[in-house]
DNA sequence: ATAATTATGTGACAATAATCACGACAATCT
DNA sequence: AGATTGTCGTGATTATTGTCACATAATTAT
């Protein structure tokens, strides 16, 4: 059973709410959240309902309370350490990604044959891959970001799973085999660009045969 | 009307096929593609059917022909120049992302206040944002990658749209307003990590109240 | 106090997507 | 040649997801 869309939307709501909090706004409405992210207000209410989040019959939602409930439902109401495997360009970008410094999702260490200390705030240490096992024995991390070359991704996952990692985000282009009790989220950047190409093509050529077939 | 899942799958098939070509494999079957990416074989055939792609009644699919048809359907059977806006860590990672050098999707120039030439293969020049307009007059680019801070993303899109860009991939966390005839693909990295957290939480705590409600 | 107004919450409905079951056809075997 | 096998192709079916209409509660106005 896969509620990917619900969860994605919940995360989007959370993102909007965080911005509202920053702006000092205390109250919001399904309708105004809708304006921010383009999801119908009724869909938003349906989602909240599904996750047991309730508002005030006329007064909309209290921003802080709603944010807290969203975080609880997303499992983000606690410290969430990630390790980063692969410290190439993509790994560096992820480690420095400012968004992560605001939420509870934090990258606490990176592993790469080229060791060193990453100059971010806070600084993230880079260790050799051989020390992953030892590191995980001292640090109860359950999540890993895989930003390694395609050909080592699977063996890396196997090792990390054996060491207790259960949630993966995979930036390599190949599908990974994992046991039932773990989860992999695949992010294929090339695929994301190609999606854009497809829809742009569609727009520029409305009478395309294939498109007709689809509609 | 949104066929996002179909298009995503088509792109995945394409990725598998490219690997098969590299390995020198000439023939494949819905069943064996399925093994690679975990999508049911009947789904694969249905997708092909929907896009008018046909195989041989018993002999499966010719790898090269299938790849070509997938590319045609995805609009990838031509040169696809992208420009990259924002040359921070993420921008650098994207510019150097090896996957792009193999397909037809290419980043041909980057724009950032900090100019310079990126040492990738091929080298990608970095120009000041002020020169975007002039650049687009000389180069008929229709697609842009937005890897800029959240607060400048919308104004950047407005400018790029005015200059003729119609396909965007947006790495900032905010939703962008665009006219009907353009397309934005939002990739929110924080959201991707949070999705992993959600599903990992679910696995570790099966009797969670909210989950029960859902099932 | 009563009526009008404005949001929420949700069951009923509609649209979309995925799966299944089976027919068609080409290749191989006897 | 005829039977058999393996794989595709697709209409029918089922499951999932999204939308709509409206009942409900809280607030404000008269």
């Amino acid at each position: 059973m896969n509620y990917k869309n619900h969860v994605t939307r919940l995360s989007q709501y959370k993102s909007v709410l965080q911005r509202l909090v920053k702006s000092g706004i205390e109250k919001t409405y399904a309708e105004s959240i809708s304006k921010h992210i383009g999801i119908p207000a009724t869909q938003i209410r349906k989602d909240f309902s599904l996750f047991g989040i309730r508002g005030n019959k006329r007064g909309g939602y209290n921003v802080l309370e709603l944010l807290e409930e969203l975080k609880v439902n997303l499992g983000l109401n606690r410290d969430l350490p990630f390790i980063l495997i692969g410290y190439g360009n993509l790994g560096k970008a992820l480690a420095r990604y400012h968004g992560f410094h605001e939420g509870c999702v934090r990258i606490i260490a990176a592993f790469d044959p080229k060791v060193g200390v990453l100059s971010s705030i806070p600084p993230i240490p880079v260790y050799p891959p051989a020390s992953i096992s030892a590191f995980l024995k001292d640090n109860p991390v359950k999540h890993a970001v895989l930003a390694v070359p395609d050909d080592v991704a699977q063996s890396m996952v196997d090792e990390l799973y054996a060491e207790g990692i259960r949630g993966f985000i995979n930036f390599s282009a190949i599908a990974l085999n994992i046991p039932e009790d773990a989860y992999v989220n695949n992010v294929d950047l090339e695929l994301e660009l190609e999606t854009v190409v497809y829809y742009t093509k569609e727009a520029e050529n409305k009478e395309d045969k294939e498109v007709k077939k689809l509609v």
Side-chain angles (χ1 to χ4, degrees), chain A:
Chain A
M1 206 109 328
N2 197 335
Y3 293 96
K4 196 154 188 25
N5 292 344
H6 291 269
V7 175
T8 307
R9 284 199 302 266
L10 238 54
S11 196
Q12 288 181 266
Y13 304 150
K14 193 219 62 177
S15 168
V16 172
L17 268 282
Q18 282 177 330
R19 260 182 293 140
L20 293 181
V21 168
K22 257 196 231 166
S23 326
I25 293 166
E26 291 177 4
K27 238 166 89 173
T28 190
Y29 307 87
E31 203 58 60
S32 69
I33 298 174
S34 172
K35 292 252 174 57
H36 279 94
I37 45 177
I39 291 170
T42 102
Q43 175 84 73
I44 295 173
R45 288 199 290 270
K46 196 81 198 262
D47 286 338
F48 288 177
S49 163
L50 192 62
F51 284 86
I53 295 172
R54 313 192 61 82
N56 310 308
K57 268 293 177 176
R58 183 163 166 179
Y61 303 86
N62 176 298
V63 169
L64 284 174
E65 282 175 19
L66 178 53
L67 179 55
E68 187 54 28
E69 297 216 62
L70 288 170
K71 281 189 176 180
V72 169
N73 276 288
L74 287 165
L76 297 173
N77 56 335
R78 51 182 168 157
D79 188 46
L80 283 164
F82 275 67
I83 56 171
L84 168 63
I85 315 295
Y87 189 50
N89 288 300
L90 182 57
K92 276 176 197 151
L94 290 165
R96 290 171 183 165
Y97 188 59
H98 74 285
F100 299 153
H101 300 310
E102 297 175 6
C104 10
V105 164
R106 292 179 307 117
I107 292 173
I108 61 166
F111 296 89
D112 197 282
K114 274 169 76 180
V115 302
V117 173
L118 166 57
S119 61
S120 73
I121 304 160
I124 294 170
V126 182
Y127 302 117
S131 64
I132 291 176
S133 173
F135 183 90
L136 289 176
K137 282 187 178 56
D138 295 337
N139 301 275
V141 181
K142 288 274 170 277
H143 302 95
V145 177
L146 277 181
V148 297
D150 290 5
D151 53 342
V152 300
Q154 181 65 56
S155 64
M156 211 62 236
V157 166
D158 295 342
E159 180 181 345
L160 292 168
Y161 181 87
E163 299 294 344
I165 301 286
R166 289 295 177 270
F168 298 88
I169 178 162
N170 171 34
F171 285 92
S172 81
I174 64 165
L176 301 173
N177 280 315
I178 46 149
E180 268 293 314
D181 67 334
Y183 180 82
V184 176
N185 184 12
N186 294 297
V187 178
D188 183 333
L189 294 174
E190 190 165 15
L191 186 150
E192 298 297 343
L193 293 240
E194 289 177 1
T195 304
V196 173
V197 172
Y198 178 84
Y199 286 106
T200 314
K201 176 192 78 151
E202 228 186 14
E204 87 193 23
N205 182 5
K206 287 280 188 196
E207 68 275 57
D208 188 311
K209 274 182 237 89
E210 285 74 32
V211 176
K212 256 192 194 147
K213 246 183 160 175
L214 286 173
V215 179

